[in-house]
Amino acid sequence: MGTLKTEPARTRQDLLAPPVTEALHRWPADSPVGVDDILVAPIDATLADTAAFCAAYDVGLDVSANCVVVAGKREGTVRYAACVVLATTRADVNGVVRRHLDVRKASFAPMAEAVELTSMEYGGITPIGLPGSWPILVDSRVVGTPYVIVGSGVRHSKIALPGAALGLLPNAEVVEGLAREVG
């Protein structure tokens, strides 16, 4: 986890967006990943973007996960999904994600829309605490990573947790091939 100074997330609500705090309060006691295995670390908010964050805190791109909000329209209704992929990959938005949403075209949701719908800060959106009606598509490489770093809902911190925990979230679906290697 590089040079991050972590502590249990539920003890540092000042480092979490309100929906994330609420989701941690509802974390199932019988989950294979305990709530105290979800850690948070303060960071410089100006370094929240993945490349800058990884360089500043000595965190590998292979353990840093991005959560992107994708939208597509079908019969006049906008359908949303969150995609969680490692920073070494990119979500296959117009292939796998589009088919999963059953829409003609999928794209990243506009920033203002994503922020409003998630009640999280842009650049800090996390799969923990997203709207309950959204599917959370998690690339299989993410759940296979012992610990991953994701957003916390705000730009001034990051969450570290077992990758498997992301596949256990409500509405989560682990998807083989959700992302493609960059490069």
Side-chain angles (χ1 to χ4, degrees), residues 48 50 53-54 59-68 83-90 123-127 138-139 141-143 145 147-152 158-159 161 163 166:
T50 304
F53 162 75
C54 287
V59 171
L61 290 170
D62 61 331
V63 296
S64 183
N66 292 318
C67 179
V68 295
C83 300
V84 184
V85 300
L86 293 176
T88 56
T89 66
R90 296 290 174 257
I125 293 175
T126 184
V138 184
D139 187 71
R141 287 171 275 215
V142 173
V143 297
T145 304
Y147 257 83
V148 294
I149 312 293
V150 296
S152 62
K158 293 285 185 179
I159 288 177
L161 74 169
L166 296 173

Side-chain angles (χ1 to χ4, degrees), residues 79-161:
R79 299 176 182 189
Y80 296 94
C83 300
V84 184
V85 300
L86 293 176
T88 56
T89 66
R90 296 290 174 257
D92 182 6
V93 174
N94 269 307
V96 176
V97 179
R98 178 187 58 77
R99 286 190 297 275
H100 189 86
L101 286 174
D102 191 26
V103 294
R104 295 183 76 182
K105 182 182 175 199
S107 59
F108 297 110
M111 177 180 61
E113 196 173 291
V115 167
E116 180 182 347
L117 293 172
T118 63
S119 298
M120 298 180 196
E121 295 176 7
Y122 191 76
I125 293 175
T126 184
I128 302 168
L130 289 174
S133 62
W134 291 9
I136 301 171
L137 308 178
V138 184
D139 187 71
S140 59
R141 287 171 275 215
V142 173
V143 297
T145 304
Y147 257 83
V148 294
I149 312 293
V150 296
S152 62
V154 295
R155 290 183 63 87
H156 62 274
S157 66
K158 293 285 185 179
I159 288 177
L161 74 169

Side-chain angles (χ1 to χ4, degrees), residues 26-38:
R26 293 189 312 270
W27 197 263
D30 62 348
S31 175
V33 176
V35 72
D36 286 333
D37 292 327
I38 302 169

